[in-house]
Amino acid sequence: YNYGLEFTLEKFLDKGLYFLTTVSLFESRYTDGAGIERNTAFNGNYVVNALGGKEFALFQNNPEKSQKHAITIDSKMTLAGGNRVSPIDIMASASSGRTQFVEERAFSERLSDYFRWDIRVAYKLNSKKFTQEWSIDVQNVTNHENPFGRGFNQDTGEIETVNQLGIFPVVQY
Protein backbone atom coordinates (compact mmCIF):
# COMPACT_ATOMS: atom_id res chain seq x y z
CA TYR A 1 0.00 0.00 0.00
CA ASN A 2 1.00 3.59 -0.58
CA TYR A 3 -0.32 6.70 1.09
CA GLY A 4 0.83 10.24 1.67
CA LEU A 5 0.37 13.95 1.16
CA GLU A 6 1.55 16.25 -1.59
CA PHE A 7 1.78 20.03 -1.54
CA THR A 8 2.33 22.10 -4.67
CA LEU A 9 3.07 25.79 -5.15
CA GLU A 10 3.18 26.99 -8.74
CA LYS A 11 3.56 30.23 -10.66
CA PHE A 12 2.75 29.81 -14.32
CA LEU A 13 4.93 31.54 -16.90
CA ASP A 14 4.21 35.26 -16.63
CA LYS A 15 6.51 38.09 -17.73
CA GLY A 16 9.19 35.50 -18.41
CA LEU A 17 9.18 33.99 -14.89
CA TYR A 18 7.89 30.63 -13.63
CA PHE A 19 8.41 28.27 -10.69
CA LEU A 20 7.04 25.07 -9.24
CA THR A 21 7.67 23.58 -5.82
CA THR A 22 6.35 20.23 -4.65
CA VAL A 23 6.68 18.43 -1.33
CA SER A 24 5.61 14.79 -1.06
CA LEU A 25 5.46 12.92 2.23
CA PHE A 26 4.60 9.25 1.89
CA GLU A 27 4.74 5.70 3.15
CA SER A 28 5.18 2.73 0.78
CA ARG A 29 4.95 -0.77 2.25
CA TYR A 30 3.97 -4.31 1.27
CA THR A 31 3.18 -7.61 2.95
CA ASP A 32 5.51 -10.45 1.93
CA GLY A 33 4.60 -14.12 1.43
CA ALA A 34 5.17 -14.85 5.12
CA GLY A 35 2.66 -12.15 6.10
CA ILE A 36 5.34 -9.71 7.33
CA GLU A 37 4.83 -6.05 6.51
CA ARG A 38 7.96 -4.41 5.05
CA ASN A 39 9.12 -1.23 3.34
CA THR A 40 9.14 -1.25 -0.44
CA ALA A 41 12.40 -0.45 -2.22
CA PHE A 42 11.11 3.08 -2.92
CA ASN A 43 9.99 4.05 0.59
CA GLY A 44 12.24 7.10 0.99
CA ASN A 45 9.39 8.83 2.87
CA TYR A 46 9.78 12.24 1.20
CA VAL A 47 10.61 14.08 -2.02
CA VAL A 48 11.06 17.84 -2.42
CA ASN A 49 11.35 19.39 -5.89
CA ALA A 50 11.88 23.05 -6.69
CA LEU A 51 12.28 24.38 -10.18
CA GLY A 52 12.08 27.73 -11.79
CA GLY A 53 13.32 29.89 -14.57
CA LYS A 54 13.44 33.30 -16.13
CA GLU A 55 13.37 34.29 -19.79
CA PHE A 56 15.07 37.54 -20.79
CA ALA A 57 13.89 39.01 -24.10
CA LEU A 58 16.63 40.56 -26.23
CA PHE A 59 16.38 43.36 -28.82
CA GLN A 60 12.76 44.14 -27.81
CA ASN A 61 12.97 47.78 -28.80
CA ASN A 62 14.61 47.20 -32.16
CA PRO A 63 11.95 47.35 -34.96
CA GLU A 64 14.48 46.04 -37.49
CA LYS A 65 14.57 42.66 -35.79
CA SER A 66 11.69 40.54 -37.12
CA GLN A 67 12.91 37.60 -35.09
CA LYS A 68 12.52 37.31 -31.34
CA HIS A 69 15.62 36.49 -29.32
CA ALA A 70 15.72 35.37 -25.69
CA ILE A 71 18.06 33.96 -23.09
CA THR A 72 16.57 31.56 -20.56
CA ILE A 73 18.02 30.46 -17.23
CA ASP A 74 16.41 27.47 -15.52
CA SER A 75 17.24 25.54 -12.37
CA LYS A 76 15.92 22.44 -10.65
CA MET A 77 16.73 20.99 -7.22
CA THR A 78 15.61 17.62 -5.86
CA LEU A 79 15.99 16.27 -2.34
CA ALA A 80 14.60 12.82 -1.55
CA GLY A 81 14.86 10.19 1.10
CA GLY A 82 17.17 7.36 0.09
CA ASN A 83 15.86 4.15 -1.43
CA ARG A 84 15.57 1.08 0.76
CA VAL A 85 17.97 -1.84 0.37
CA SER A 86 18.30 -5.29 1.86
CA PRO A 87 21.32 -6.07 4.04
CA ILE A 88 24.07 -8.11 2.38
CA ASP A 89 25.11 -11.44 3.88
CA ILE A 90 28.91 -11.14 3.71
CA MET A 91 29.65 -14.80 4.53
CA ALA A 92 27.15 -16.17 1.97
CA SER A 93 28.36 -13.65 -0.64
CA ALA A 94 32.02 -14.62 -0.11
CA SER A 95 31.29 -18.33 -0.45
CA SER A 96 28.97 -18.04 -3.47
CA GLY A 97 31.05 -15.43 -5.35
CA ARG A 98 28.08 -13.09 -5.83
CA THR A 99 26.03 -10.71 -3.71
CA GLN A 100 23.64 -12.53 -1.37
CA PHE A 101 20.99 -10.59 0.54
CA VAL A 102 19.46 -11.28 3.94
CA GLU A 103 15.96 -11.91 2.58
CA GLU A 104 14.28 -12.02 5.99
CA ARG A 105 15.29 -8.35 6.43
CA ALA A 106 14.29 -7.19 2.94
CA PHE A 107 14.46 -3.39 2.44
CA SER A 108 15.16 -2.78 6.14
CA GLU A 109 18.09 -0.40 5.48
CA ARG A 110 18.01 2.94 3.72
CA LEU A 111 20.64 4.47 1.45
CA SER A 112 21.67 8.08 2.12
CA ASP A 113 19.42 10.86 0.90
CA TYR A 114 19.39 11.88 -2.75
CA PHE A 115 20.32 15.45 -3.75
CA ARG A 116 20.63 16.87 -7.24
CA TRP A 117 20.82 20.41 -8.60
CA ASP A 118 20.62 21.10 -12.33
CA ILE A 119 21.20 24.43 -14.10
CA ARG A 120 20.34 25.23 -17.71
CA VAL A 121 21.14 28.27 -19.88
CA ALA A 122 19.60 28.59 -23.33
CA TYR A 123 19.49 31.00 -26.24
CA LYS A 124 16.26 30.95 -28.25
CA LEU A 125 15.59 32.42 -31.69
CA ASN A 126 11.95 32.60 -32.81
CA SER A 127 11.14 33.46 -36.41
CA LYS A 128 7.91 33.26 -38.41
CA LYS A 129 8.57 29.74 -39.70
CA PHE A 130 10.70 28.05 -37.07
CA THR A 131 12.27 28.24 -33.63
CA GLN A 132 15.87 27.39 -32.81
CA GLU A 133 17.34 26.89 -29.38
CA TRP A 134 20.89 26.30 -28.19
CA SER A 135 21.44 25.28 -24.58
CA ILE A 136 23.79 23.84 -22.04
CA ASP A 137 22.29 21.86 -19.19
CA VAL A 138 24.64 20.98 -16.34
CA GLN A 139 23.05 18.12 -14.44
CA ASN A 140 24.13 17.41 -10.85
CA VAL A 141 26.12 20.64 -10.84
CA THR A 142 27.40 19.99 -7.28
CA ASN A 143 28.70 16.54 -8.33
CA HIS A 144 26.88 15.04 -5.33
CA GLU A 145 27.46 11.30 -4.99
CA ASN A 146 23.97 9.81 -4.97
CA PRO A 147 23.89 6.10 -4.13
CA PHE A 148 22.33 3.76 -6.66
CA GLY A 149 22.78 0.48 -4.81
CA ARG A 150 25.17 -1.77 -2.94
CA GLY A 151 26.96 -4.98 -3.77
CA PHE A 152 29.61 -7.36 -2.50
CA ASN A 153 33.08 -7.00 -4.03
CA GLN A 154 34.61 -10.48 -4.26
CA ASP A 155 38.14 -9.10 -4.66
CA THR A 156 38.14 -6.95 -1.51
CA GLY A 157 35.61 -8.93 0.54
CA GLU A 158 33.76 -5.70 1.31
CA ILE A 159 30.36 -4.18 0.60
CA GLU A 160 30.60 -1.32 -1.88
CA THR A 161 28.15 1.40 -2.76
CA VAL A 162 27.59 2.12 -6.45
CA ASN A 163 26.79 5.78 -7.13
CA GLN A 164 24.72 7.35 -9.85
CA LEU A 165 26.24 9.60 -12.50
CA GLY A 166 28.07 12.67 -11.18
CA ILE A 167 28.20 16.07 -12.86
CA PHE A 168 27.00 15.73 -16.44
CA PRO A 169 26.93 18.56 -19.02
CA VAL A 170 24.45 18.25 -21.90
CA VAL A 171 24.78 20.50 -24.93
CA GLN A 172 21.70 20.74 -27.13
CA TYR A 173 20.53 22.36 -30.35
Side-chain angles (χ1 to χ4, degrees):
Y1 64 88
N2 299 293
Y3 66 87
L5 296 170
E6 181 166 292
F7 304 96
T8 302
L9 179 63
E10 181 173 13
K11 180 188 183 312
F12 295 101
L13 183 64
D14 179 40
K15 297 178 184 163
L17 179 67
Y18 76 95
F19 68 82
L20 174 70
T21 302
T22 63
V23 177
S24 300
L25 307 171
F26 58 90
E27 189 70 22
S28 180
R29 299 180 64 81
Y30 74 100
T31 302
D32 69 10
I36 299 170
E37 187 178 291
R38 301 184 189 279
N39 290 304
T40 68
F42 305 103
N43 194 16
N45 301 117
Y46 74 94
V47 177
V48 178
N49 285 299
L51 60 104
K54 174 74 174 151
E55 182 175 271
F56 301 93
L58 303 174
F59 313 117
Q60 275 181 258
N61 300 326
N62 188 346
E64 295 178 19
K65 296 281 186 185
S66 62
Q67 301 171 329
K68 294 183 180 179
H69 302 257
I71 292 178
T72 304
I73 300 172
D74 300 293
S75 182
K76 177 184 177 187
M77 292 178 84
T78 300
L79 178 62
N83 286 341
R84 303 286 178 153
V85 293
S86 300
I88 295 173
D89 184 331
I90 294 175
M91 299 298 279
S93 297
S95 64
S96 71
R98 63 185 184 90
T99 303
Q100 298 288 322
F101 298 99
V102 180
E103 296 299 332
E104 45 287 342
R105 291 185 43 222
F107 307 118
S108 62
E109 297 177 1
R110 191 166 108 177
L111 296 174
S112 62
D113 290 348
Y114 177 93
F115 174 76
R116 182 169 143 180
W117 180 23
D118 301 340
I119 295 176
R120 180 176 179 271
V121 177
Y123 173 75
K124 190 183 329 184
L125 174 62
N126 288 321
S127 66
K128 291 180 182 180
K129 296 187 179 189
F130 62 91
T131 297
Q132 297 180 76
E133 185 173 67
W134 296 265
S135 70
I136 182 158
D137 183 0
V138 182
Q139 299 176 2
N140 194 10
V141 72
T142 62
N143 202 28
H144 187 80
E145 293 184 351
N146 290 303
F148 178 72
R150 294 188 311 190
F152 180 76
N153 183 323
Q154 189 69 27
D155 295 331
T156 64
E158 295 179 2
I159 296 171
E160 293 183 351
T161 299
V162 177
N163 291 321
Q164 295 184 23
L165 194 60
I167 190 169
F168 189 73
V170 178
V171 178
Q172 296 175 318
Y173 168 75

